[in-house]
Amino acid sequence: MLKEHTYDLIDIRVEQATLLRQRVVTSCLFVLVIIATYSFILYFTGYTTQALLWLIASGSMVGVVYLYGTWVAPGGVTRASVKAYLVGHIVICCVTGLVWSSFAIYLVDWSSYLTIFVACILVFSITIGGMFPNSAYRPGYIGLAVFSLLPVALYFLIYAEWPTRLLGFATLVYFLFGMVTSARAELDMRETITARNTQALMEKVKAQNDVIRRVNEERHRFLAATSHDLSQPIHAQGYFIQAMRSLLTNKAQHDLLDKIELTWERQSQFLRSLMDMNQLDSGSMTPTPARVDLKGELQTTVTEFADQMVEKEQVLHCSFEDVQTVTDPVLLNRTVRNLVSNAIKYTPMHGTIAISLTREKESAIVTIGDTGPGIPREDQDRIFEEYVQLETEGSSRTGVGLGLSIVKRLCDLLDITLNVESTPGEGTTFTLAIPLIDTAPKAKPKVGSLPQFRRFKTAPVVVLVDDEEAIREGMSNLLTDWGCQVICASTPDGAVDLLAATPQVPDLLLIDKMLGSGNSGIDLIARLREEVNEDTPAVLMSGGFIREIDQRTMTDEKILFLAKPVEPSLLYTTIERVVGGTPSKTLQIN
């Protein structure tokens, strides 16, 4: 993982110190050339002693600079050692400047213009490097310039005769020019270092983002494939469990099957949560807006959960106004179902659940309240995080803590404002503020009751197509038990042939989305409808994810989507809504 790091002045100093060490050989060679040049000039103009002294003094300082640059901090300059290293460099620069100015003053013979010229050129040449754009460290240059230029300038101003004294003023002007130029060079160097390191950091960040993106893509693909593969057997298990129920003969067997069904339901819920989270994370879940009767949707959801409330002897208070809007009905249904399921889970025996729908200004307000243990104030934000489950008295720990996280993300996706109010020991209320769009009223829908898998009196004809034998067998057996006439096929061509040989017109098409060999369930629905020349109601089932293009196509073609594993109760409710059925148990609603 790339560490967060602010590139500050210390890092710049480390870069500058590193450049000084890297350039020490080049700098020493450059200065040696200058030293040798002036030594030859002095030697061949008769100043043999001065040339020798100059060579010894200046050469010694070059040796000190070289040794310091190569021997100190052999492992490289770090943030911890950079300050001491640069202080040492400044000291050496000051001493070097003092040596050069001292020799320049020593060399001056007022009767010889040559010595005056050489003295000025000596201190000018040693300080000119600090004005270059690639100058590494300005404080070192300042030390060198102060101790080399200022002594010579003052010496000329005090002791020189006119007009030689002008050289003192010229040296001061050169010194000031050097300060200004070196300041600009320092800024340029800092900007260059910062830009280079920022670019390097951005390249690292980009490389890491690419790795993260690839890992996320692989994770999404893995979860998509795994979810599809797991959903197939879990889907079939649910129908085998229901088919087995009619074969059992005593209470002990029914009790054992109830426990098996409970574990199956938890597996299904967990798999569905993983699929939802993966779609939300990958961005593949996109809303498909449609006109929605909110009252009808809530009433349907209530009937689907009626059995669970009856078993816990919970009392339901409902108050629904006629409110309509435009939103994604499937995603809204998932949101409400998760909240209702959560309320049932945490409400104790004989507790109360209150669900209401009202209109307030530009929003439809849905509230789902319970009389459960409540949520402490400090935990009310955490409940929407992934894999967070609070330990509460009187509730069993089921699932992995994805339900409310999915609710929060779906609300963000649908532009729904989600709020929670809770008092420990009294209960919790979730509020959904759904934007109202195109609120023209429609006729009130009929409210169904929770199906109890009674046989359909109308004996609806259902075409079932799935390439998994276990799924076909399990669903076919259960549909038959419900009184359906089932036309069962594993391939598109087989389904079309069987339907062509059947004199009856089907009431419902139950089609798997992925039928093998590249065949699409959506295409098969179109073929079957064309075969009977009717717009037959259709349900598309899939254990994978539905892309945005598929969602648009299904909306246009009036196809209902059910994600595998499809609970038998949900399938029964769907068939009942399409072809009619017989309810058995009602829920107490106050």
Side-chain angles (χ1 to χ4, degrees), residues 197-447:
N197 284 277
T198 300
Q199 180 65 27
L201 184 61
M202 291 300 296
E203 291 296 330
K204 291 180 181 179
V205 171
K206 181 181 178 182
Q208 187 177 40
N209 286 339
D210 289 341
V211 172
I212 294 174
R213 178 182 54 79
R214 288 195 297 269
V215 170
N216 280 333
E217 289 175 353
E218 289 296 328
R219 179 173 67 88
H220 292 316
R221 282 195 291 268
F222 171 78
L223 284 176
T226 302
S227 299
H228 178 269
D229 292 342
L230 286 177
S231 67
Q232 299 291 79
I234 292 177
H235 178 86
Q237 287 172 12
Y239 293 91
F240 284 128
I241 289 173
Q242 295 302 324
M244 184 184 296
R245 192 173 294 280
S246 63
L247 304 177
L248 304 182
T249 57
N250 59 62
K251 185 178 183 301
Q253 292 174 336
H254 279 280
D255 290 343
L256 180 59
L257 187 61
D258 288 341
K259 294 179 180 178
I260 295 174
E261 186 173 23
L262 178 61
T263 60
W264 171 82
E265 288 176 353
R266 291 179 178 175
Q267 288 177 338
S268 300
Q269 292 170 2
F270 174 61
L271 180 60
R272 182 68 53 77
S273 296
L274 284 181
M275 294 170 64
D276 287 344
M277 289 300 297
N278 195 38
Q279 282 187 287
L280 288 166
D281 287 341
S282 64
S284 60
M285 182 182 289
T286 55
T288 303
R291 193 178 185 84
V292 178
D293 176 21
L294 297 178
K295 180 178 180 179
E297 288 292 328
L298 290 175
Q299 289 172 327
T300 301
T301 301
V302 167
T303 61
E304 291 177 6
F305 285 95
D307 236 10
Q308 298 180 35
M309 299 185 198
V310 169
E311 288 175 3
K312 297 185 70 173
E313 300 180 15
Q314 295 169 340
V315 177
L316 176 65
H317 294 282
C318 288
S319 175
F320 301 144
E321 295 183 7
D322 287 319
V323 184
Q324 296 158 354
T325 187
V326 173
T327 186
D328 188 309
V330 176
L331 300 185
L332 178 63
N333 179 264
R334 291 189 194 181
T335 303
V336 175
R337 283 174 59 87
N338 279 351
L339 291 175
V340 173
S341 175
N342 204 63
I344 296 173
K345 172 183 173 182
Y346 287 101
T347 300
M349 295 287 292
H350 311 292
T352 300
I353 295 174
I355 305 175
S356 68
L357 168 64
T358 58
R359 182 197 303 267
E360 291 185 8
K361 297 181 180 180
E362 301 299 321
S363 299
I365 306 300
V366 177
T367 60
I368 301 171
D370 62 62
T371 55
I375 305 168
R377 180 174 297 276
E378 62 270 16
D379 292 327
Q380 289 180 13
D381 290 332
R382 293 182 56 241
I383 61 174
F384 298 110
E385 298 176 4
E386 296 177 19
Y387 307 107
V388 171
Q389 282 188 299
L390 304 181
E391 297 292 341
T392 56
E393 184 178 355
S395 66
S396 58
R397 182 181 177 88
T398 59
V400 292
L402 291 176
L404 290 179
S405 177
I406 292 173
V407 167
K408 182 64 170 65
R409 296 190 185 203
L410 288 175
C411 286
D412 292 340
L413 195 62
L414 297 176
D415 197 26
I416 296 175
T417 302
L418 172 64
N419 289 311
V420 58
E421 295 180 2
S422 184
T423 302
E426 297 183 9
T428 302
T429 298
F430 289 92
T431 302
L432 303 175
I434 307 170
L436 289 179
I437 305 173
D438 187 13
T439 56
K442 280 188 174 182
K444 291 174 59 178
K446 295 182 179 180
V447 182

Side-chain angles (χ1 to χ4, degrees), residues 546-565:
I546 298 298
R547 300 170 301 171
E548 181 179 357
I549 186 172
D550 291 334
Q551 291 178 336
R552 290 199 301 267
T553 300
M554 291 192 301
T555 300
D556 295 340
E557 299 297 329
K558 299 179 181 179
I559 301 172
L560 177 64
F561 173 72
L562 296 179
K564 291 183 178 179

